[in-house]
Amino acid sequence: DMLVEGLVAGAVVVGVIVALFALLGALNRRKKAPQDVAGTAAVEQELKNRFLDRRITRGKYIEDGILESFVAVARTLEENRVRIYTDPYGFERELRDCVKKLDSAVRDLRACVVGPDSRVVRTAAFTEQLGRELSGLKEQFHAQFDVQVDELAVSCLGPEQLENLRQVAREASLNALRHGHSKIVSVKLQRGDHDVLLVVQDNGRGFAPSLLGTEGAGLALMRTLAAKAGGKCDVTSRIGNGARVVVTVPERAFGAVRGPGR
């Protein structure tokens, strides 16, 4: 009960802040961009429009939604606290669901406060579009994906660079599942010291690069996409130890846009 009361009190304070920003946002006129953009850009615009609608005309609903999420999480944790001993796997599933609810509530809150052009929205758009791509592979190959996207990495890259990296992630994942017979694939977009890294790692059967002879169409495509993003693609593998695809976009290429012939 104390946990629920604490979360409710915190959510009320947050709700007041959200309402103030919603009121300020209502004073600004908005204009939605057309929805005929493809890929990640379309998802990003969709999220922008969604957050604009919430910020301007549905501030109260955002406040209520965040409050409901916090209360629901508190109740779930309270009701399942004994399951950690009797059903640890079931408790873990409930805990993951709680984390997803809190992540969604925090994302909505931050997007409402900082506005639709923030890296929060761009990161959410990239992650959502990548998730849509991988969900089909997950069902087809009965595999698991661990996707982690760093906001700082997203903020360094332009829309076309993100689109190219998304396609690399999908192609690398497809190769891992189809040829490597992997069951777990990790996809990470992260910020390095002077670059941005896309890392796709799988637990498949791997291969010996020296025995490949000529490079396959999948690897060639990934290298082409990496070049379009202003970076390079490195693939390492060993039989029995899976494969690792790393695309490195150096600092000098941040925000750059490259056409197919450049």
PDB file of all heavy atoms in Angstrom, residues 91-101 144:
ATOM      1  N   PHE A  91       7.231 -14.927 -12.422  1.00  0.00           N
ATOM      2  CA  PHE A  91       7.492 -13.613 -11.841  1.00  0.00           C
ATOM      3  C   PHE A  91       8.353 -12.775 -12.777  1.00  0.00           C
ATOM      4  O   PHE A  91       8.142 -11.577 -12.926  1.00  0.00           O
ATOM      5  CB  PHE A  91       8.197 -13.770 -10.492  1.00  0.00           C
ATOM      6  CG  PHE A  91       8.530 -12.458  -9.835  1.00  0.00           C
ATOM      7  CD1 PHE A  91       7.561 -11.743  -9.149  1.00  0.00           C
ATOM      8  CD2 PHE A  91       9.809 -11.917  -9.928  1.00  0.00           C
ATOM      9  CE1 PHE A  91       7.859 -10.522  -8.557  1.00  0.00           C
ATOM     10  CE2 PHE A  91      10.114 -10.702  -9.343  1.00  0.00           C
ATOM     11  CZ  PHE A  91       9.128 -10.017  -8.647  1.00  0.00           C
ATOM     12  N   GLU A  92       9.335 -13.430 -13.439  1.00  0.00           N
ATOM     13  CA  GLU A  92      10.197 -12.705 -14.378  1.00  0.00           C
ATOM     14  C   GLU A  92       9.389 -12.158 -15.547  1.00  0.00           C
ATOM     15  O   GLU A  92       9.624 -11.032 -15.997  1.00  0.00           O
ATOM     16  CB  GLU A  92      11.298 -13.629 -14.895  1.00  0.00           C
ATOM     17  CG  GLU A  92      12.294 -12.933 -15.819  1.00  0.00           C
ATOM     18  CD  GLU A  92      13.377 -13.850 -16.325  1.00  0.00           C
ATOM     19  OE1 GLU A  92      13.379 -15.036 -15.937  1.00  0.00           O
ATOM     20  OE2 GLU A  92      14.228 -13.383 -17.097  1.00  0.00           O
ATOM     21  N   ARG A  93       8.421 -12.935 -16.043  1.00  0.00           N
ATOM     22  CA  ARG A  93       7.567 -12.454 -17.130  1.00  0.00           C
ATOM     23  C   ARG A  93       6.761 -11.235 -16.690  1.00  0.00           C
ATOM     24  O   ARG A  93       6.635 -10.255 -17.426  1.00  0.00           O
ATOM     25  CB  ARG A  93       6.629 -13.568 -17.599  1.00  0.00           C
ATOM     26  CG  ARG A  93       7.309 -14.672 -18.397  1.00  0.00           C
ATOM     27  CD  ARG A  93       6.291 -15.538 -19.114  1.00  0.00           C
ATOM     28  NE  ARG A  93       5.387 -16.188 -18.174  1.00  0.00           N
ATOM     29  CZ  ARG A  93       5.614 -17.381 -17.633  1.00  0.00           C
ATOM     30  NH1 ARG A  93       6.719 -18.049 -17.945  1.00  0.00           N
ATOM     31  NH2 ARG A  93       4.756 -17.910 -16.792  1.00  0.00           N
ATOM     32  N   GLU A  94       6.215 -11.313 -15.486  1.00  0.00           N
ATOM     33  CA  GLU A  94       5.447 -10.178 -14.966  1.00  0.00           C
ATOM     34  C   GLU A  94       6.338  -8.959 -14.798  1.00  0.00           C
ATOM     35  O   GLU A  94       5.937  -7.822 -15.086  1.00  0.00           O
ATOM     36  CB  GLU A  94       4.801 -10.550 -13.622  1.00  0.00           C
ATOM     37  CG  GLU A  94       3.737 -11.620 -13.689  1.00  0.00           C
ATOM     38  CD  GLU A  94       2.460 -11.127 -14.346  1.00  0.00           C
ATOM     39  OE1 GLU A  94       2.328  -9.910 -14.566  1.00  0.00           O
ATOM     40  OE2 GLU A  94       1.585 -11.968 -14.636  1.00  0.00           O
ATOM     41  N   LEU A  95       7.560  -9.182 -14.345  1.00  0.00           N
ATOM     42  CA  LEU A  95       8.491  -8.076 -14.129  1.00  0.00           C
ATOM     43  C   LEU A  95       8.853  -7.413 -15.450  1.00  0.00           C
ATOM     44  O   LEU A  95       8.910  -6.175 -15.543  1.00  0.00           O
ATOM     45  CB  LEU A  95       9.753  -8.589 -13.429  1.00  0.00           C
ATOM     46  CG  LEU A  95      10.753  -7.519 -12.964  1.00  0.00           C
ATOM     47  CD1 LEU A  95      10.112  -6.585 -11.964  1.00  0.00           C
ATOM     48  CD2 LEU A  95      11.983  -8.187 -12.356  1.00  0.00           C
ATOM     49  N   ARG A  96       9.076  -8.207 -16.490  1.00  0.00           N
ATOM     50  CA  ARG A  96       9.386  -7.648 -17.800  1.00  0.00           C
ATOM     51  C   ARG A  96       8.215  -6.831 -18.332  1.00  0.00           C
ATOM     52  O   ARG A  96       8.406  -5.779 -18.957  1.00  0.00           O
ATOM     53  CB  ARG A  96       9.736  -8.769 -18.785  1.00  0.00           C
ATOM     54  CG  ARG A  96      11.085  -9.413 -18.524  1.00  0.00           C
ATOM     55  CD  ARG A  96      11.378 -10.499 -19.550  1.00  0.00           C
ATOM     56  NE  ARG A  96      12.691 -11.092 -19.325  1.00  0.00           N
ATOM     57  CZ  ARG A  96      13.173 -12.091 -20.044  1.00  0.00           C
ATOM     58  NH1 ARG A  96      12.454 -12.608 -21.035  1.00  0.00           N
ATOM     59  NH2 ARG A  96      14.374 -12.575 -19.796  1.00  0.00           N
ATOM     60  N   ASP A  97       7.005  -7.317 -18.091  1.00  0.00           N
ATOM     61  CA  ASP A  97       5.824  -6.573 -18.527  1.00  0.00           C
ATOM     62  C   ASP A  97       5.736  -5.236 -17.801  1.00  0.00           C
ATOM     63  O   ASP A  97       5.378  -4.217 -18.398  1.00  0.00           O
ATOM     64  CB  ASP A  97       4.564  -7.400 -18.268  1.00  0.00           C
ATOM     65  CG  ASP A  97       3.313  -6.733 -18.801  1.00  0.00           C
ATOM     66  OD1 ASP A  97       3.240  -6.495 -20.019  1.00  0.00           O
ATOM     67  OD2 ASP A  97       2.402  -6.451 -17.996  1.00  0.00           O
ATOM     68  N   CYS A  98       6.073  -5.228 -16.524  1.00  0.00           N
ATOM     69  CA  CYS A  98       6.074  -3.983 -15.747  1.00  0.00           C
ATOM     70  C   CYS A  98       7.094  -2.998 -16.309  1.00  0.00           C
ATOM     71  O   CYS A  98       6.823  -1.799 -16.413  1.00  0.00           O
ATOM     72  CB  CYS A  98       6.378  -4.274 -14.278  1.00  0.00           C
ATOM     73  SG  CYS A  98       5.038  -5.076 -13.373  1.00  0.00           S
ATOM     74  N   VAL A  99       8.267  -3.506 -16.640  1.00  0.00           N
ATOM     75  CA  VAL A  99       9.318  -2.644 -17.199  1.00  0.00           C
ATOM     76  C   VAL A  99       8.856  -2.019 -18.509  1.00  0.00           C
ATOM     77  O   VAL A  99       9.079  -0.830 -18.772  1.00  0.00           O
ATOM     78  CB  VAL A  99      10.617  -3.449 -17.407  1.00  0.00           C
ATOM     79  CG1 VAL A  99      11.637  -2.618 -18.187  1.00  0.00           C
ATOM     80  CG2 VAL A  99      11.199  -3.865 -16.070  1.00  0.00           C
ATOM     81  N   LYS A 100       8.177  -2.816 -19.365  1.00  0.00           N
ATOM     82  CA  LYS A 100       7.675  -2.291 -20.630  1.00  0.00           C
ATOM     83  C   LYS A 100       6.652  -1.182 -20.389  1.00  0.00           C
ATOM     84  O   LYS A 100       6.653  -0.164 -21.093  1.00  0.00           O
ATOM     85  CB  LYS A 100       7.048  -3.418 -21.447  1.00  0.00           C
ATOM     86  CG  LYS A 100       8.043  -4.397 -22.020  1.00  0.00           C
ATOM     87  CD  LYS A 100       7.348  -5.468 -22.845  1.00  0.00           C
ATOM     88  CE  LYS A 100       8.358  -6.457 -23.420  1.00  0.00           C
ATOM     89  NZ  LYS A 100       7.676  -7.523 -24.212  1.00  0.00           N
ATOM     90  N   LYS A 101       5.763  -1.372 -19.416  1.00  0.00           N
ATOM     91  CA  LYS A 101       4.757  -0.361 -19.118  1.00  0.00           C
ATOM     92  C   LYS A 101       5.410   0.930 -18.634  1.00  0.00           C
ATOM     93  O   LYS A 101       5.014   2.029 -19.032  1.00  0.00           O
ATOM     94  CB  LYS A 101       3.778  -0.880 -18.062  1.00  0.00           C
ATOM     95  CG  LYS A 101       2.849  -1.973 -18.567  1.00  0.00           C
ATOM     96  CD  LYS A 101       1.929  -2.466 -17.465  1.00  0.00           C
ATOM     97  CE  LYS A 101       0.993  -3.550 -17.976  1.00  0.00           C
ATOM     98  NZ  LYS A 101       0.115  -4.086 -16.900  1.00  0.00           N
ATOM     99  N   GLN A 144      14.858 -15.387 -30.676  1.00  0.00           N
ATOM    100  CA  GLN A 144      14.743 -14.293 -29.715  1.00  0.00           C
ATOM    101  C   GLN A 144      15.690 -13.168 -30.112  1.00  0.00           C
ATOM    102  O   GLN A 144      16.795 -13.426 -30.604  1.00  0.00           O
ATOM    103  CB  GLN A 144      15.087 -14.767 -28.297  1.00  0.00           C
ATOM    104  CG  GLN A 144      14.143 -15.817 -27.745  1.00  0.00           C
ATOM    105  CD  GLN A 144      14.519 -16.238 -26.339  1.00  0.00           C
ATOM    106  OE1 GLN A 144      15.463 -15.708 -25.751  1.00  0.00           O
ATOM    107  NE2 GLN A 144      13.788 -17.183 -25.791  1.00  0.00           N
TER     108      GLN A 144
END
